[in-house]
Amino acid sequence: MSRDIVWVTLESVRQDHTPLGGYHRDTAPFLRSLADRADGAAFSNCFSHDVWTRASTASILTGLASSAHRTWSQEARLSRDVPTIPEALQRAGYRTVCVSPNPQVSEATGLARGFDRFQYLGKSTLIEEAGVPTVLRYLTKLNAHSAGYTTDTAKHSIGYLSDAIARRRIREAARDDEDLFLYVHLGDSHHPYYPPKPYQDLYADGFEMSVEEALAFAMEMSDDLHGYIARGAPFSEDEWDALHAMYDASIRYVDETLRRIVECAEAELDDPIVVVTSDHGELFGEKGMLAHMVVADDAVSHVPLVVAGVDGLSGRHDGLVQHADAMKTVLAEAGVDAEVPVGIDLREESREFAVTQRGGERHAHKMDIIGARDDSFDPSRYHAGDLTSLRTERYRYQRSDDGEELFALPDEVTDVAAERPDARAELAEQYEAWTSAYGRPRSEREERAEFDESMTAHLEDLGYL
């Protein structure tokens, strides 16, 4: 029997900043309630396939590793030779819809393929995609759902628009009695961590500076992201506290947006399957990094995952899982025949390790940008070239052109490869087998992402350029 599928990806949310990860702030009460339902399943050890939005989303929508789809550099576009899961859902008779406010998930990157309706919410497309009445209502609610009346677009949240469009598409599918695959990317938890006005003082008890100073500092960090990394992120304790608080408040707003979308889907659709996760985590000084780049550590790869509405899947699960596993499970439940090469059915199998990758070309570009900000920055601290990381319950083994490392978790600083040769050898063997089976490029065709002027400005606001 076919089932409606609603997949919501939360931008840049790390597991340990949610109640599902034992966090001291209730940043995601709706996500927690979804996990606690009788038909909800929460996965405490989900790891993303990559460390940034474009590549991670490409893995979700193709079921392939990054090194297979190769959509993992600033220039790369998903090859037309690589099949997508939305295309398989189309063939199965689904109405496929995507709502994205991030240029990394757009037609420019090839990730719109397979969607009957792809709605990218950029600076130049808001009115066309949302419609004049919805945009006018949004403008009257800027004090409730955004930063108020400011011309600085980097400060604005657009969850209100994403929510309105998603609910519109849900109601249309229900009205037309069509099976729906809805993929929503909620982007308001991306830096600069500038939450809407009602959320700005939510965690103000966690820092000493004023809320206005905290917001200004969050903007400053994002504006000079690469410079701060080059200088070793020399923040005071109160500055770190302020960044965490603004980030947490942004997650809380995104959780509220998520609630409205899911409640609409469950009211309008017939027993939908709901998946909620994050594309990747976020770095707050780990390995000297900020945002989401360069390293594959837990801070940037360990993400929340909740699946609701799948028969035989409920409760809390501590085993290692990845996005492709959730996708394979959901498609099997919906009776859709689609290839998900690196996925397993969560009801039937378990995995020994999770694989997170990071492309070398983007890494080199980032090293150049960061190095240009400060001559003292040492890029040799980080793996050069493509990086593949195998994460087990006890270890993280990673390999690149620079060689290999083995960390005994939770420590991700001290290389213990020499002290634990048996573990290193076993994981090296698993790396070779995995690479041979899943890591090879799926297509030799190389396509280039082309962003228009508006998208480029949007990417600059988000710190990608």
Side-chain angles (χ1 to χ4, degrees):
M1 182 180 103
S2 60
R3 300 276 302 281
D4 297 302
I5 303 166
V6 176
W7 183 301
V8 183
T9 297
L10 315 177
E11 172 74 49
S12 305
V13 175
R14 52 191 277 176
Q15 166 77 349
D16 63 1
H17 273 250
T18 73
L20 301 182
Y23 197 45
H24 66 282
R25 289 175 176 151
D26 193 10
T27 54
F30 178 74
L31 183 62
R32 172 173 48 78
S33 71
L34 190 66
D36 288 341
R37 290 186 348 187
D39 67 343
F43 298 87
S44 60
N45 283 302
C46 179
F47 293 87
S48 60
H49 297 282
D50 208 293
V51 303
W52 70 304
T53 298
R54 190 187 311 180
S56 176
T57 306
S59 288
I60 292 172
L61 296 178
T62 65
L64 292 166
S66 288
S67 56
H69 62 66
R70 302 196 70 76
T71 316
W72 61 353
S73 73
Q74 191 62 29
E75 290 71 34
R77 186 176 191 273
L78 183 66
S79 169
R80 286 166 288 174
D81 294 341
V82 177
T84 70
I85 289 165
E87 288 176 316
L89 285 157
Q90 279 183 325
R91 291 193 297 271
Y94 275 76
R95 174 183 295 191
T96 56
V97 178
C98 181
V99 182
S100 168
N102 192 325
Q104 304 293 0
V105 185
S106 68
E107 171 58 36
T109 59
L111 298 181
R113 185 152 46 83
F115 287 103
D116 299 315
R117 186 144 196 172
F118 192 99
Q119 301 197 250
Y120 163 64
L121 305 182
K123 295 180 180 181
S124 64
T125 64
L126 283 181
I127 293 177
E128 176 185 355
E129 297 294 351
V132 172
T134 299
V135 172
L136 289 176
R137 285 194 295 272
Y138 168 64
L139 292 175
T140 66
K141 297 176 182 292
L142 287 178
N143 284 322
H145 287 278
S146 196
Y149 295 92
T150 172
T151 58
D152 189 343
T153 56
K155 294 180 178 179
H156 282 295
S157 302
I158 60 172
Y160 178 89
L161 296 173
S162 298
D163 166 43
I165 294 170
R167 286 188 289 139
R168 185 184 308 160
R169 301 303 166 223
I170 289 167
R171 292 185 179 114
E172 288 174 352
R175 179 198 66 204
D176 297 338
D177 196 25
E178 287 192 345
D179 292 328
L180 175 67
F181 173 68
L182 173 65
Y183 187 93
V184 183
H185 187 99
L186 295 179
D188 291 327
S189 39
H190 195 285
H191 63 81
Y193 320 137
Y194 205 97
K197 276 193 169 183
Y199 295 79
Q200 290 173 358
D201 62 354
L202 194 60
Y203 303 119
D205 59 348
F207 52 88
E208 297 298 325
M209 67 177 76
S210 69
V211 170
E212 292 72 23
E213 289 171 328
L215 291 166
F217 180 65
M219 289 297 299
E220 180 184 335
M221 184 280 291
S222 186
D223 288 343
D224 191 23
L225 179 69
H226 300 100
Y228 275 117
I229 292 172
R231 297 186 293 275
F235 303 145
S236 69
E237 182 177 354
D238 195 50
E239 287 171 333
W240 281 119
D241 288 343
L243 283 179
H244 284 293
M246 292 300 116
Y247 173 66
D248 293 344
S250 299
I251 296 173
R252 181 66 178 265
Y253 174 67
V254 169
D255 182 74
E256 175 61 19
T257 308
L258 167 70
R259 179 188 66 78
R260 293 193 298 271
I261 294 171
V262 173
E263 288 184 350
C264 176
E266 294 187 326
E268 298 287 341
L269 303 174
D270 183 17
D271 192 25
I273 298 169
V274 176
V275 179
V276 184
T277 188
S278 177
D279 50 352
H280 52 74
E282 194 79 336
L283 292 153
F284 286 95
E286 294 88 354
K287 297 282 178 72
M289 279 290 143
L290 300 168
H292 36 276
M293 61 182 83
V294 177
V295 300
D297 294 35
D298 277 14
V300 76
S301 60
H302 191 187
V303 296
L305 173 65
V306 174
V307 180
V310 172
D311 289 342
L313 192 63
S314 62
R316 299 300 174 102
H317 301 262
D318 295 328
L320 298 166
V321 303
Q322 298 205 259
H323 290 138
D325 304 337
M327 183 62 79
K328 188 178 183 74
T329 305
V330 165
L331 294 176
E333 175 70 8
V336 176
D337 183 17
E339 185 184 14
V340 188
V342 293
I344 61 173
D345 190 320
L346 293 168
R347 298 167 297 183
E348 300 174 357
E349 303 175 70
S350 60
R351 59 170 60 247
E352 293 183 62
F353 54 84
V355 178
T356 301
Q357 296 184 293
R358 184 224 67 199
E361 190 174 336
R362 179 174 182 260
H363 169 78
H365 178 64
K366 289 295 183 183
M367 291 294 99
D368 288 344
I369 294 176
I370 296 167
R373 298 294 197 275
D374 194 303
D375 292 339
S376 65
F377 176 74
D378 180 14
S380 68
R381 296 172 54 198
Y382 307 99
H383 282 265
D386 300 337
L387 175 69
T388 296
S389 174
L390 272 64
R391 208 275 194 193
T392 71
E393 293 182 356
R394 296 181 59 194
Y395 296 105
R396 180 179 295 283
Y397 171 83
Q398 50 192 30
R399 188 187 295 188
S400 72
D401 294 347
D402 281 344
E404 60 183 0
E405 288 178 305
L406 179 70
F407 300 118
L409 300 171
D411 175 45
E412 295 181 281
V413 176
T414 307
D415 183 1
V416 298
E419 290 82 3
R420 305 191 186 185
D422 291 344
R424 186 214 64 80
E426 180 181 355
L427 286 165
E429 183 178 348
Q430 290 177 321
Y431 164 87
E432 295 288 356
W434 181 91
T435 299
S436 177
Y438 304 109
R440 309 297 185 195
R442 177 59 66 98
S443 170
E444 296 301 321
R445 182 199 298 268
E446 294 185 1
E447 298 185 28
R448 184 178 179 85
E450 300 287 350
F451 299 102
D452 62 25
E453 185 176 335
S454 175
M455 282 183 164
T456 299
H458 195 167
L459 289 170
E460 288 174 348
D461 279 352
L462 294 173
Y464 285 105
L465 304 178

